[in-house]
Amino acid sequence: MPDPLIEDDRMNVVALAATRNWRPAALVVCAMALAGCSTSGGVATGSVTGGDDVESSYIGSTANIASLTEVVQRNPQDPQAYNMRGTVLARTGRPQDAMTDFTKAIQLDPNYVQALSNRALVYRQTGRADLALGDYNRAIQADANYAAAYVGRGNIYRVQGRYADALTDYNRAIQINGSNAQAYHNRGLAYAAQNNHRQAIEDFTTALGLAPNNAEPYYGRGLSYLAVGDAKSAVDDLNEAVQFDQRNADIWVARGKALEQTGDTERALGSYTKAISVEENHPGAREAFNRLGGRSGQTYRLFN
């Protein structure tokens, strides 16, 4: 299963670890559940949680950054202040500034596992997997029970095709925290990459039980259902996935394929048309649309 992955994701969602129960009153806080996944060649590849941690993360804003800068200025030797501001900077699309803050936090506290994992995530998203692995290894050495670092390192191994190593890390993360939806989701992706779709379906189902309102596990499970020849179940899952993420052309294409297998050409064409409206030159959507005799400008049903 090829993959660019969560960071490696098209949505570019960065949800980073919260700091050790530290909460500045001036910060507007929002708990995030799950977000972010990527696809490659119609295959779900991302992390179900949009980051390495399953704890709370923060949505950035100009006001938040200004408030956090004041906190940093008042507490220039507090690594948590830098880590929190770095988290918000990463959320607002400023990875280099975030990296500076995470690095400062680590300089102040070399065993600060949240900052190490956060910096590793940014390294991953900027294509520096070797540096990311170094930070994840440091985090695990500092705290052998920090599940987020195992998930993050497992994601890198999975992208590199080192599935046995990835599964070892995901298993360890689940052993530490059995409610870690991200670990189950990513383990499902690793199983699917090895064509172990029955086990993948079990993990995606567990991830959905832990965090149900997200496109990624529905998408992953839908693809695995397709792989084992259960097109009806695939349609059901992909119908759910598109409700949560209507701007992902790959999900629409996968839904079109599933509908084709059930014999529903009309709605399959509707899905391919929708995919083209999202991503005009999507090769899979164009090929399928033409193959089924689709006509430009014609309206096709999407749902009942």
Side-chain angles (χ1 to χ4, degrees):
M1 181 185 295
D3 90 81
L5 172 129
I6 160 195
E7 45 270 13
D8 321 320
D9 73 354
R10 288 183 186 162
M11 297 182 213
N12 277 325
V13 178
V14 184
L16 297 163
T19 58
R20 315 157 171 162
N21 302 317
W22 180 76
R23 300 290 186 270
L27 180 64
V28 178
V29 194
C30 178
M32 297 291 287
L34 305 180
C37 170
S38 72
T39 57
S40 176
V43 176
T45 59
S47 141
V48 69
T49 61
D52 293 331
D53 213 319
V54 293
E55 300 172 4
S56 295
S57 55
Y58 299 87
I59 295 179
S61 72
T62 302
N64 288 349
I65 293 172
S67 297
L68 288 167
T69 297
E70 293 177 6
V71 173
V72 168
Q73 291 171 345
R74 290 196 303 269
N75 304 275
Q77 299 303 307
D78 185 351
Q80 297 180 51
Y82 290 99
N83 185 58
M84 184 63 74
R85 187 174 67 176
T87 299
V88 176
L89 287 166
R91 289 285 302 167
T92 52
R94 296 169 60 181
Q96 295 307 315
D97 292 334
M99 190 83 70
T100 298
D101 273 358
F102 295 141
T103 298
K104 180 63 175 178
I106 294 163
Q107 288 172 348
L108 292 169
D109 182 355
N111 293 321
Y112 192 173
V113 294
Q114 289 95 338
L116 284 164
S117 287
N118 285 344
R119 189 172 70 175
L121 179 56
V122 177
Y123 277 140
R124 285 162 57 197
Q125 291 179 320
T126 53
R128 290 173 282 183
D130 55 336
L131 296 176
L133 278 174
D135 275 353
Y136 285 132
N137 289 336
R138 285 180 62 184
I140 289 168
Q141 184 175 16
D143 183 355
N145 292 313
Y146 191 57
Y150 289 101
V151 175
R153 190 173 70 177
N155 288 342
I156 293 177
Y157 289 151
R158 180 169 53 80
V159 172
Q160 294 176 342
R162 297 169 59 181
Y163 299 119
D165 292 331
L167 288 171
T168 296
D169 274 356
Y170 297 144
N171 289 339
R172 176 60 179 149
I174 290 167
Q175 181 184 34
I176 295 166
N177 178 7
S179 298
N180 190 327
Q182 184 194 27
Y184 282 106
H185 178 266
N186 283 289
R187 192 174 71 174
L189 294 174
Y191 281 133
Q194 296 177 300
N195 293 317
N196 187 353
H197 291 287
R198 293 297 182 188
Q199 188 63 57
I201 288 168
E202 289 186 20
D203 274 357
F204 293 135
T205 300
T206 301
L208 283 167
L210 293 167
N213 298 320
N214 300 274
E216 294 87 350
Y218 281 113
Y219 179 30
R221 192 172 68 176
L223 291 172
S224 283
Y225 276 134
L226 270 177
V228 299
D230 188 350
K232 184 181 183 303
S233 294
V235 169
D236 291 341
D237 273 356
L238 294 165
N239 280 341
E240 293 291 336
V242 296
Q243 299 304 318
F244 291 112
D245 185 3
Q246 298 192 17
R247 300 300 300 171
N248 189 321
D250 288 333
I251 299 177
W252 287 109
V253 170
R255 179 177 180 268
K257 291 178 180 177
L259 286 163
E260 275 195 72
Q261 291 189 20
T262 66
D264 192 340
T265 302
E266 170 79 10
R267 287 191 296 166
L269 281 167
S271 284
Y272 295 136
T273 300
K274 180 66 175 178
I276 292 167
S277 74
V278 172
E279 187 178 333
E280 183 176 359
N281 295 317
H282 190 291
R286 283 287 179 188
E287 182 278 327
F289 184 79
N290 293 332
R291 174 169 46 77
L292 292 182
R295 297 182 180 180
S296 297
Q298 184 169 332
T299 300
Y300 297 97
R301 284 188 303 136
L302 270 178
F303 299 99
N304 292 330

